[in-house]
Amino acid sequence: MPQLNCENITLGYDGKIVISELSFSIDAGDYLCIIGDNGSGKSTLMKAILKLKSPMSGQIITGEGLAANEIGYLPQQTVVQKDFPATVREVVSSGCLNRVGLRPFYNSVEKQMVEENMEKLGISALASRCYRELSDGQQQRTLLARALCAAQKILLLDEPAAGLDPVASIDMYSLISKLNQDGLTIIMISHDIGAALKYATHILHIANKMALFYGTKEDYLASEAGWVYV
């Protein structure tokens, strides 16, 4: 059974449809890149997968015992978030909040997870630094480490390289690719078609409120939708 299966879902706001009868499935270890024009419903789809928004019709089914607290999410960062007055360790630790529940503290397992994810993202030396004093690339690494504290099986990323310079963008995509190679399922929204075609295993191209294409990267490049990128 797929790790995540979207069956004929229709999404919208206030009765206005943004995506109609969309179907696709994700297996464990896939790297899906979702592409499409602004306003095509990509972020709305992310919210539906996170159960922050209910489909107008259709259903999203999880398999392989996937629970809501096993999905990590890296949203697009706002200007207000960039000025957040907390240490890097505090920001990363907040990714464990769903595990903490009503406990007023982090346990040893969660603290160890924070340290391991900071190490994995190369920000251990920044642990005591104030988040708002970091560079854009360092901030994004911190937020990715935070998302990893929540992600046991799937990581959702909404334009993870937005606002980064070319060097930091390449670095971010390389980090995400390594996480996928280590077994984490990736679902990423990106306007960077080059990165999508370099790293993704599957492409979901949304246009005109529907799936223009869903399938492997190789099949996408051979399709009419992907010809422009060959």
Side-chain angles (χ1 to χ4, degrees):
M1 181 179 182
Q3 196 172 46
L4 185 73
N5 190 26
C6 294
E7 296 184 350
N8 297 314
I9 60 170
T10 294
L11 303 170
Y13 290 92
D14 301 322
K16 180 181 178 181
I17 294 173
V18 295
I19 298 177
S20 180
E21 298 184 357
L22 175 65
S23 295
F24 67 95
S25 61
I26 302 282
D27 291 326
D30 282 351
Y31 188 149
L32 173 68
C33 189
I34 304 172
I35 62 176
D37 295 335
N38 289 332
S40 60
K42 303 184 299 297
S43 294
T44 304
L45 175 58
M46 282 269 189
K47 292 177 182 177
I49 293 172
L50 290 163
K51 299 189 182 303
L52 299 176
K53 182 171 184 58
S54 298
M56 298 169 69
S57 63
Q59 56 184 340
I60 299 176
I61 304 169
T62 56
E64 299 190 1
L66 179 67
N69 63 1
E70 295 176 317
I71 301 176
Y73 178 44
L74 177 60
Q76 291 190 50
Q77 189 175 194
T78 65
V79 173
V80 172
Q81 290 170 329
K82 283 180 174 292
D83 199 39
F84 194 63
T87 67
V88 168
R89 180 177 281 108
E90 288 170 339
V91 172
V92 176
S93 297
S94 67
C96 294
L97 288 176
N98 280 341
R99 304 170 190 272
V100 171
L102 298 177
R103 277 188 282 114
F105 56 85
Y106 298 111
N107 63 28
S108 59
V109 173
E110 291 152 357
K111 290 178 181 178
Q112 181 63 27
M113 182 183 300
V114 169
E115 297 304 318
E116 288 176 354
N117 284 327
M118 287 195 297
E119 179 69 25
K120 186 180 294 185
L121 273 296
I123 55 173
S124 294
L126 304 175
S128 299
R129 289 273 305 277
C130 183
Y131 175 79
R132 63 185 176 189
E133 296 173 355
L134 304 180
S135 68
D136 289 341
Q138 290 170 333
Q139 285 189 346
Q140 203 69 341
R141 278 175 174 256
T142 300
L143 294 178
L144 183 54
R146 177 186 184 275
L148 286 179
C149 286
Q152 297 182 57
K153 295 182 179 179
I154 295 181
L155 180 61
L156 304 184
L157 304 147
D158 193 347
E159 297 288 355
L164 300 183
D165 62 49
V167 173
S169 294
I170 292 171
D171 178 57
M172 178 57 58
Y173 286 125
S174 296
L175 285 170
I176 295 166
S177 179
K178 179 61 167 57
L179 294 172
N180 177 244
Q181 291 168 15
D182 289 342
L184 194 63
T185 302
I186 302 294
I187 302 177
M188 179 180 73
I189 293 173
S190 180
H191 282 102
D192 188 342
I193 304 300
L197 296 178
K198 180 177 181 179
Y199 296 111
T201 61
H202 293 72
I203 302 291
L204 172 61
H205 189 160
I206 301 174
N208 300 319
K209 300 181 181 180
M210 60 183 292
L212 184 64
F213 177 90
Y214 171 70
T216 66
K217 172 176 63 179
E218 292 75 19
D219 286 344
Y220 180 70
L221 289 172
S223 71
E224 184 175 352
W227 282 353
V228 69
Y229 304 115
V230 176

